[in-house]
Amino acid sequence: MKSERTYYDKVHIWGRLWTVGALLVLLSVPSAICLHLNVWPQMHDVFAALKTVIPLYWGTAVIEVLTYTPMLGAGATYLSFVTGNIVNLKMPCSLNAMENAKVRANSEEGEVISTISIGVSAITTTVILAVGVLAFSPLLVKLTDPSSVFAPAFTYILPALFGALGAGYFRKHWKISIFPIVVGVIILLFVPTLASGTLIFATLIAAIGGALLMQKLKWI
Amino acid sequence: MSDFKESGFMYGIALFVIGFVVIESVFFILKAWKRGKEIGLTKETMKNTVYSSILFTIAPAVSILTTVIVLASALGIVLPWIRLSVIGNLAYETVASQTMLEVLGSSLNKEITDPAQFGAVAWVMTIGTSFALILVPLFCKTIQKKVGKAVHKSESSSKTADIVSAAAFIGIIAAFIARAIYGKTTDGIGDAGFMSVCTLVTAVAVSLLLEQLCLKFNLKKLEPFAMPLSMFAAMGMAVVLNLVVPEQVAGFTWW
């Protein structure tokens, strides 16, 4: 028990240090660009754009931190929020890895598997982006161009990804699955372009609330 | 093309940022691997996690690469490459850069030739996404502790813990399933309709089929790859349907 706490404590210390480091690295990018090019943008222009961007993304950031942190585990959370693409890549990758390894989120085994999975995913993404940018960008432009024969594969990548990921869960827990999907569809009927982060928050509450209610009613 | 966007200096910044991400990832993998061995996870389980995560990442990463290339027409290839390698995501970078350019009376459809505009876009992209990096170090430990307590409490009834854990997974996935059934995108590309539903159904069907095959023939080695294979099959189905189904059917959406 003592060793378990020590590991988690260490993860939080490492995570905080790396995240602060990442923040500095991130802020150094526009600073270095402006210093190198000897240009500084008009602050009122930047604020005008931020007035639109911040309410959109800072609110989502709060929801994402609250939603993903318990699911990903500590190490994977620190890593995911630095490496990005959480919803469309890191989260499903981690869920898939934990499902394959038959470990539960919030267990120490889940913490380890999730961290390895997200770390490997981040490195793989970095390699693919680097190779793609340096070597294959002309080919990829053709491959993903809207007129390309392969374009629909990338347009519908999210239904493909989450359908494949969800199938096993839906089969095993079909009673729990129906309610949050219905709730999600109903919300989209009223707000069809609702941001994924906000929609997830709603379906997550529906899924957990619905499951606990069904258990109380002895339906599951 | 003005070469300040793709100068050696920009590539230098990219290498610095990407190097940071890779080193951080390797650091956490090594620490987790060591801990995994200590708590009794088998080498095979952890190796399978590595292989399946690589395979899982390929298609979404190619999709992310597409965003880099789309943004490259206005911003050059290096800045989107940096942004999508760290913290960025598919939707955010486009919205942030477009918003800044609109304020400046420009658009992502046009190449940026003014260094000041380029710097402004870089700042807005960075500040917009930085908030999560402030929240995580402040609240991650507290959130983890509270969840840990809740789980341990309910472990007296292990079934409840299992149900809550499964429901949480399902809750996240359900949002995307609902979006594939009745969602609308802000740019109109990939709206829910015939194609999204067929892709979704194919992914579910192939996944269940592979699961059954693995069970029936005891194909343990196939198990970690069932999910990425199902995803590729569904993506392939989207390509095939687009080719063979009449355009008015393939192009049908609710919107």
Side-chain angles (χ1 to χ4, degrees):
Chain A
M1 195 64 189
K2 195 184 172 194
S3 133
E4 187 180 337
R5 274 205 298 272
T6 307
Y7 176 70
Y8 277 116
D9 285 344
K10 280 181 187 168
V11 168
H12 286 295
I13 292 167
W14 300 327
R16 283 170 177 168
L17 288 173
W18 277 105
T19 308
V20 171
L23 193 58
L24 295 176
V25 167
L26 269 179
L27 290 171
S28 76
V29 173
S31 309
I33 289 172
C34 289
L35 279 172
H36 178 70
L37 297 174
N38 197 24
V39 289
W40 291 93
Q42 296 290 322
M43 290 318 279
H44 62 265
D45 287 340
V46 172
F47 282 130
L50 287 175
K51 265 197 299 191
T52 308
V53 170
I54 284 178
L56 209 61
Y57 289 100
W58 285 28
T60 310
V62 174
I63 293 172
E64 283 185 350
V65 171
L66 286 173
T67 310
Y68 302 147
T69 303
M71 300 304 300
L72 289 170
T77 296
Y78 288 113
L79 206 46
S80 295
F81 278 94
V82 168
T83 57
N85 284 295
I86 303 179
V87 175
N88 55 312
L89 174 55
K90 302 292 174 8
M91 168 63 78
C93 190
S94 159
L95 297 185
N96 180 53
M98 286 191 276
E99 169 77 358
N100 281 334
K102 297 178 177 55
V103 295
R104 207 170 61 194
N106 303 316
S107 66
E108 194 162 4
E109 289 81 1
E111 163 78 31
V112 166
I113 294 293
S114 180
T115 304
I116 293 174
S117 166
I118 303 266
V120 168
S121 180
I123 293 172
T124 309
T125 308
T126 307
V127 170
I128 290 175
L129 287 187
V131 172
V133 164
L134 297 175
F136 297 115
S137 34
L139 175 71
L140 274 153
V141 172
K142 286 181 188 156
L143 201 67
T144 56
D145 186 90
S147 62
S148 156
V149 75
F150 296 105
F154 296 97
T155 304
Y156 298 101
I157 192 167
L158 288 179
L161 194 157
F162 284 97
L165 184 66
Y169 287 102
F170 299 152
R171 188 186 56 72
K172 271 183 249 166
H173 307 281
W174 64 272
K175 285 182 185 168
I176 302 176
S177 305
I178 295 169
F179 182 57
I181 294 174
V182 170
V183 167
V185 171
I186 291 172
I187 291 172
L188 288 170
L189 281 171
F190 293 99
V191 198
T193 54
L194 186 68
S196 295
T198 317
L199 187 62
I200 286 173
F201 199 59
T203 51
L204 191 69
I205 290 169
I208 295 174
L212 289 174
L213 185 67
M214 282 181 204
Q215 194 195 21
K216 204 170 183 183
L217 296 171
K218 301 199 185 311
W219 290 1
I220 48 174
Chain B
M1 180 170 285
S2 317
D3 84 336
F4 69 86
K5 301 192 291 294
E6 295 180 3
S7 63
F9 179 78
M10 286 299 295
Y11 276 100
I13 298 178
L15 286 180
F16 169 64
V17 173
I18 289 160
F20 181 90
V21 170
V22 171
I23 293 170
E24 181 180 355
S25 302
V26 170
F27 175 87
F28 273 100
I29 291 169
L30 292 177
K31 294 291 181 189
W33 196 281
K34 192 175 162 218
R35 187 64 188 160
K37 281 205 277 191
E38 283 169 7
I39 60 172
L41 282 171
T42 65
K43 213 172 176 181
E44 200 193 344
T45 304
M46 292 194 282
K47 271 187 175 175
N48 274 340
T49 300
V50 171
Y51 297 141
S52 70
S53 299
I54 291 173
L55 195 59
F56 188 100
T57 303
I58 293 171
V62 170
S63 184
I64 294 164
L65 184 55
T66 312
T67 315
V68 173
I69 291 162
V70 168
L71 290 172
S73 58
L75 302 174
I77 196 97
V78 188
L79 183 61
W81 177 25
I82 295 171
R83 293 292 314 162
L84 271 300
S85 295
V86 201
I87 211 174
N89 71 57
L90 290 165
Y92 172 74
E93 305 303 332
T94 317
V95 174
S97 47
Q98 176 68 16
T99 307
M100 184 68 250
L101 288 171
E102 277 173 7
V103 169
L104 298 170
S106 186
S107 163
L108 268 180
N109 300 330
K110 285 184 259 173
E111 185 195 346
I112 295 181
T113 50
D114 177 357
Q117 287 191 355
F118 187 67
V121 169
W123 274 111
V124 172
M125 282 173 149
T126 304
I127 294 171
T129 46
S130 298
F131 193 49
L133 290 187
I134 298 168
L135 293 176
V136 169
L138 289 176
F139 298 109
C140 181
K141 194 172 182 180
T142 314
I143 295 170
Q144 287 288 326
K145 267 191 176 170
K146 288 217 186 298
V147 171
K149 265 188 195 165
V151 167
H152 284 295
K153 252 189 205 170
S154 54
E155 259 172 3
S156 55
S157 158
S158 163
K159 202 184 164 200
T160 305
D162 284 341
I163 288 171
V164 170
S165 180
F169 280 127
I170 289 165
I172 290 169
I173 297 165
F176 291 91
I177 302 297
R179 194 170 279 291
I181 296 170
Y182 203 81
K184 180 167 170 43
T185 56
T186 45
D187 60 5
I189 298 168
D191 285 346
F194 176 79
M195 290 290 283
S196 66
V197 171
C198 286
T199 310
L200 176 69
V201 171
T202 306
V204 173
V206 175
S207 181
L208 292 178
L209 182 72
L210 287 175
E211 194 181 285
Q212 287 307 310
L213 284 175
C214 290
L215 270 176
K216 197 168 179 185
F217 299 105
N218 200 23
L219 303 170
K220 287 245 179 269
K221 294 216 162 164
L222 181 65
E223 268 178 24
F225 305 110
M227 192 269 144
L229 288 175
S230 313
M231 179 174 69
F232 287 130
M235 289 168 75
M237 179 60 88
V239 172
V240 171
L241 285 176
N242 194 52
L243 286 174
V244 300
V245 171
E247 203 181 324
Q248 63 269 36
V249 179
F252 172 80
T253 70
W254 304 110
W255 312 102

